[in-house]
């Protein structure tokens, strides 16, 4: 799998690029925001922390 990071300062342009990329989801494209990816990395790092329960029964 290849990863590509695209930095866009203009919100309107970001919306247009996202709209375009959405059309490739059926071909296997996955769109993940950098912020979501950073959050997932932090979550993964905390999985060994005994203070945080990831058991669905504890919710």
């Amino acid at each position: 799998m290849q990863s590509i990071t695209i930095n866009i300062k203009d919100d309107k342009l970001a919306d247009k690029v996202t709209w375009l990329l959405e059309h490739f989801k059926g071909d296997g494209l996955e769109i993940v925001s950098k912020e979501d990816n950073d959050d997932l990395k932090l979550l993964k790092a905390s999985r060994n922390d005994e203070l945080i329960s990831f058991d669905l029964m504890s919710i």
Side-chain angles (χ1 to χ4, degrees):
M1 177 189 312
Q2 293 184 15
S3 296
I4 298 172
T5 302
I6 301 173
N7 297 312
I8 304 171
K9 293 180 182 181
D10 184 303
D11 288 341
K12 288 183 181 182
L13 179 57
D15 290 341
K16 290 177 182 179
V17 170
T18 302
W19 175 84
L20 177 67
L21 293 174
E22 292 282 342
H23 290 81
F24 295 99
K25 279 188 166 183
D27 295 323
L29 178 71
E30 178 184 21
I31 301 170
V32 179
S33 74
K34 182 181 181 320
E35 293 78 12
D36 288 346
N37 196 34
D38 291 345
D39 289 346
L40 289 172
K41 286 179 183 178
L42 290 171
L43 182 61
K44 182 179 178 185
S46 69
R47 289 201 54 94
N48 294 329
D49 190 340
E50 294 178 10
L51 299 175
I52 301 173
S53 175
F54 287 93
D55 183 6
L56 292 176
M57 300 301 287
S58 66
I59 297 177

